[in-house]
Amino acid sequence: NALTAHPLCLLADMSRQFPKVTLSEAEEETQLLAEKVYASALKEEDNKDALSMFTVPEDCPIGLQQAKEHELLKELAEQQSEETSKRKKSLKMIRSQSMSLQIPVNADWTRSLAATPFLSPSSTCSSVQENCPDYQRVTISGDYCAGITVEDYEQAAKSLFKALLIREKYSKLAYHRFCRTAAQFLRRAEAMRWSEEDEVLPDICPCPSNGEDPYSMDNLPENLNYELKMKDGIVNVYDNEDALEKNCPHDLPYPDLETFAIDLISKTKGSCHCTYCHRRLNFLSSKFYLHEMLNEMAELKELKSVPHRDFYNVRKVSGQFVSVDTHIHAAACMSQKHLLTFIQKTYKSDADRVVLEKGGQKMTLKQVFRNLNKDPYDLTVDSLDVHAGRQTFHRFDKFNSKYNPVGASELREIFLKTDNLINGEYFAHIIKEVAHDLEESKYQHAEPRLSIYGRSPEEWHNLSKWFIHHKLHSPNMRWIIQVPRIYDIFKLKKLVPNFAKMLENIFLPLFEATVNPQKHKECHVFLKYVSGFDSVDDESKHSDHMFSFRSPKPEQWTADNNPPYSYYIFHMYANIMVLNNLRKERGLNTFQFRPHCGEAGSITHLVSAFLTTDNISHGLNLKKSPVLQYLYYLAQVPIAMSPLSNNSLFLEYSKNPLREFLHKGLCVSLSTDDPMQFHYTKEPLMEEYAIAAQLWKLSTCDVCEIARNSVLQSGLSHQEKQHFLGVNYLKDGPEGNDIRRTNVAQIRMAYRHETLCNELSFIVDAVKSEAMNSQNE
Ligand SMILES: [Zn+2]
């Protein structure tokens, strides 16, 4: 891979550049393969062949039989090869070495870890020792333990290694979190030392302390007088007009579509090793089953010894330990009952207030209801008709219309919009009531999504003004901006000439507010409480464009059709990355990218998200691809899952993979998505936890693990995370856990950590053994 820098800025400091990759001829074959996969995203019917490398023929007995026969032949061939038996031997040696390092013989977990410089470079083991009790470990011994032929194992490991490296690169450049344990193992494979200083972490504003004005506009940073210009759909930053003319942008990483597409290709290449990943995932599942059988009581005992904790009552437990609703839409964050009461209350006081303009005519609340032929006092939860039911399953269109109370868009406009005739006053009031309930409950937080559409550059100004005018900050809420993927609609209505204009409307105002906060005061203040971006819409909608590095640049995207998912994701990521680097330079907070992904549609969405996101919402389709699922596990990419929402839209509750993901060790959290549509009680997040715990018979430790994941994944600040999880939360394993705060047993933490280390060591060992072999040759 050739690395080339910006031609005009060769002398500048290159510390944070986006390494440009060009396609070599040798890779053309992979490229064709990747294109086949992406083409298959276009049409669901004939994607069987192309997607077969992502999936295992689990439900097809003939396919399984064939696969087994094929494997047997390979095993036999390998037995006869002298070369492979040599490699097998060396692998066996390497494996037994790393196994002995991982599994403490003398049952002293921490001492052996401290003896492994790579695992825990700065461990303060004396304090940990008392934290981590002994427990019964599950180990496999003999052979090199991968369970497949040497060649398949080595190739699979190499591809997974490469995929992890690519995610690490994309995460670091965007100030997204990358799993520390995975980073440590990657360095080990490269024979380098991991150090804490190399770690790149997001910057999130701490919550204003008591007595501090959250909306203060004093002491704003000064104007940098930078010039901004959108180029290939990405905002470029220039120090001054001269630099702009000379096309010499400020030293920031500017990603390009071509490199991204090629990175995607090399990741797709890594997807041919399904059998290995499938086996490892099955192993993880079985291992957890054994772990639970052997240690369930020990975990419970540990929790019981923590004072003042009630662990039988799940509700109380998740009420006591902080949980964050990691995926919730602001326009549906209240219960139906709450909305109904609010509408009736408002009617009582505001019946004669002008609240709506329709067809040039101003209407009072009374007139609106008369037009709808409804009496607000006769309204019931049922007639409000905002709840999703059987009729919305697999019908996203019907679901979307459920956002309209009594099926009338007028009521949605009046009560659930930020930018209307009454300046979003009612919507702000409802949200404040929801925030108040959260503050009362004390231990629940939420990250509601507000929309920015990209149809006009005014949107940010209006949204910020709404936020500050109505004083919407709450210590229990962080805000996420959702961008609906509806370019085609704006194009049809002639609101934007091309896709680049939509991106400009979304991102340029953010750059302007970052360069000159004094001119964009409201936006600057509002952005302190925005923790990230989301990309939303029905993923099962197909685009008729195939994503590749030959895709037109956003300026050239003048067609009426909607760009595909990956195209949206890349351009959002690219702008967030540049923006984060600019903001970091100024000492301002950075943003996470947390799109909806893998709820439906092509599994290529999950490939794009693996590179570009901090964490995702839904992830259901990981179920279909062992390779991606295993990668999401190895990199510990957080997934906010909403089984109740899925149950009404895409997947029956009993078939939801959350429990399976959790047990294997994927970093999953529980979230509500749309309480107005899916939940019945005043505490929708508790409802979500309670139903999951009951239906799946989750243990207290399971539930608390989910709650802990939700805090880790959230956009809460470093200080808040320290407060809720323990001061060392950035450290992986029991060292990073404060059981008094999280109620997650140290045994569980140790099990998860050791298991992840074991899986990662497989990859490192294969890469190391290959390096050794090539040295010997
Ligand atoms: Zn959602």
Side-chain angles (χ1 to χ4, degrees), residues 104-358:
V105 196
N106 57 353
D108 185 349
W109 184 84
T110 46
R111 198 167 298 150
S112 68
L113 254 196
T116 319
F118 301 110
L119 281 180
S120 156
S122 58
S123 71
T124 45
C125 51
S126 59
S127 68
V128 187
Q129 234 162 310
E130 49 208 67
N131 278 348
C132 184
D134 190 22
Y135 72 104
Q136 303 180 63
R137 290 176 170 81
V138 183
T139 58
I140 309 286
S141 61
D143 202 12
Y144 58 98
C145 311
I148 54 172
T149 62
V150 175
E151 201 187 319
D152 283 356
Y153 160 52
E154 284 187 337
Q155 282 198 358
K158 232 165 60 189
S159 305
L160 293 168
F161 173 66
K162 200 166 172 197
L164 288 172
L165 274 183
I166 298 178
R167 173 165 167 88
E168 189 189 34
K169 172 178 99 178
Y170 277 77
S171 301
K172 268 188 163 176
L173 283 172
Y175 292 98
H176 286 159
R177 247 190 97 180
F178 184 75
C179 169
R180 188 181 268 195
T181 307
Q184 286 164 348
F185 275 88
L186 290 180
R187 292 300 81 75
R188 224 166 113 177
E190 297 171 325
M192 279 154 71
R193 236 193 134 78
W194 179 90
S195 84
E196 215 168 313
E197 292 85 66
D198 298 337
E199 201 166 42
V200 168
L201 292 170
D203 260 340
I204 299 168
C205 284
C207 193
S209 51
N210 273 346
E212 204 180 318
D213 175 14
Y215 314 100
S216 162
M217 294 187 187
D218 302 335
N219 305 320
L220 298 184
E222 59 189 51
N223 187 5
L224 288 174
N225 286 308
Y226 285 171
E227 299 288 327
L228 301 164
K229 193 186 162 204
M230 183 150 257
K231 212 172 124 189
D232 298 340
I234 300 164
V235 179
N236 281 29
V237 184
Y238 302 85
D239 288 343
N240 47 45
E241 245 173 81
D242 194 40
L244 174 64
E245 252 166 56
K246 286 187 180 137
N247 193 24
C248 186
H250 189 73
D251 181 35
L252 299 168
Y254 301 96
D256 63 285
L257 183 69
E258 202 175 325
T259 302
F260 175 68
I262 294 168
D263 281 338
L264 271 189
I265 292 173
S266 33
K267 242 220 81 216
T268 316
K269 193 169 150 193
S271 307
C272 313
H273 306 288
C274 224
T275 321
Y276 179 70
C277 299
H278 186 62
R279 294 237 169 121
R280 295 317 307 168
L281 287 167
N282 278 348
F283 172 70
L284 285 173
S285 210
S286 312
K287 190 179 177 185
F288 184 79
Y289 174 75
L290 289 173
H291 168 80
E292 219 184 7
M293 193 172 79
L294 297 168
N295 299 295
E296 197 182 359
M297 281 308 129
E299 285 182 350
L300 271 178
K301 249 176 17 206
E302 235 193 287
L303 299 185
K304 205 171 184 180
S305 62
V306 180
H308 316 302
R309 295 302 189 219
D310 177 358
F311 53 84
Y312 287 113
N313 189 331
V314 170
R315 204 183 129 89
K316 198 162 173 192
V317 164
S318 18
Q320 260 175 340
F321 302 96
V322 171
S323 51
V324 182
D325 196 343
T326 42
H327 167 199
I328 177 171
H329 301 277
C333 70
M334 67 303 284
S335 71
Q336 345 163 39
K337 181 88 193 352
H338 184 176
L339 180 63
L340 179 71
T341 319
F342 186 87
I343 291 176
Q344 287 168 339
K345 193 174 74 187
T346 311
Y347 192 83
K348 218 177 218 166
S349 59
D350 282 10
D352 293 317
R353 179 174 177 187
V354 175
V355 291
L356 185 74
E357 194 175 329
K358 208 185 165 193

Side-chain angles (χ1 to χ4, degrees), residues 533-549:
F533 290 86
D534 190 352
S535 171
V536 296
D537 201 11
D538 181 3
E539 281 184 76
S540 59
K541 272 198 313 201
H542 286 285
S543 162
D544 43 18
H545 174 83
M546 190 194 88
F547 179 78
S548 81
F549 64 90

Side-chain angles (χ1 to χ4, degrees), residues 340-512:
L340 179 71
T341 319
F342 186 87
I343 291 176
Q344 287 168 339
K345 193 174 74 187
T346 311
Y347 192 83
K348 218 177 218 166
S349 59
D350 282 10
D352 293 317
R353 179 174 177 187
V354 175
V355 291
L356 185 74
E357 194 175 329
K358 208 185 165 193
Q361 221 193 340
K362 298 207 163 160
M363 290 165 88
T364 63
L365 204 52
K366 203 186 243 163
Q367 287 167 319
V368 170
F369 273 100
R370 201 177 300 144
N371 267 15
L372 291 173
N373 224 350
K374 299 261 187 232
D375 180 342
Y377 298 113
D378 287 345
L379 280 182
T380 62
V381 160
D382 283 340
S383 63
L384 209 54
D385 193 30
V386 288
H387 217 252
R390 286 244 59 90
Q391 72 278 21
T392 54
F393 200 70
H394 286 297
R395 289 297 302 272
F396 208 81
D397 52 335
K398 287 208 172 160
F399 167 70
N400 260 340
S401 65
K402 288 282 180 187
Y403 270 97
N404 296 325
V406 301
S409 61
E410 288 91 340
L411 294 187
R412 179 181 183 176
E413 173 73 24
I414 296 167
F415 289 99
L416 300 173
K417 293 268 179 188
T418 59
D419 191 10
N420 53 19
L421 196 70
I422 51 169
N423 292 320
E425 190 184 310
Y426 294 156
F427 188 37
H429 280 192
I430 301 185
I431 291 184
K432 281 176 90 155
E433 289 177 3
V434 172
H436 181 76
D437 288 346
L438 289 176
E439 286 161 29
E440 292 270 278
S441 79
K442 229 170 159 180
Y443 290 102
Q444 286 177 58
H445 290 241
E447 303 184 279
R449 270 79 173 153
L450 293 165
S451 294
I452 287 283
Y453 297 90
R455 60 188 162 198
S456 99
E458 302 302 306
E459 288 175 42
W460 274 108
H461 178 68
N462 296 337
L463 188 63
S464 316
K465 247 174 59 187
W466 171 79
F467 180 86
I468 288 167
H469 178 79
H470 296 291
K471 297 199 171 359
L472 276 157
H473 167 70
S474 155
N476 294 50
M477 278 183 176
R478 289 282 162 160
W479 304 86
I480 290 186
I481 299 300
Q482 62 177 19
V483 180
R485 294 187 296 275
I486 47 175
Y487 159 80
D488 50 339
I489 294 173
F490 299 149
K491 181 69 173 61
L492 212 64
K493 288 186 177 165
K494 297 202 167 24
L495 292 168
V496 292
N498 54 39
F499 188 61
K501 192 72 202 171
M502 180 172 164
L503 289 168
E504 192 181 299
N505 290 338
I506 298 165
F507 288 105
L508 195 61
L510 296 171
F511 280 84
E512 286 167 350

Side-chain angles (χ1 to χ4, degrees), residues 608-625:
S608 310
F610 183 75
L611 265 54
T612 53
T613 68
D614 186 279
N615 62 70
I616 61 167
S617 292
H618 291 305
L620 291 180
N621 279 343
L622 288 174
K623 205 177 153 166
K624 294 182 186 166
S625 164

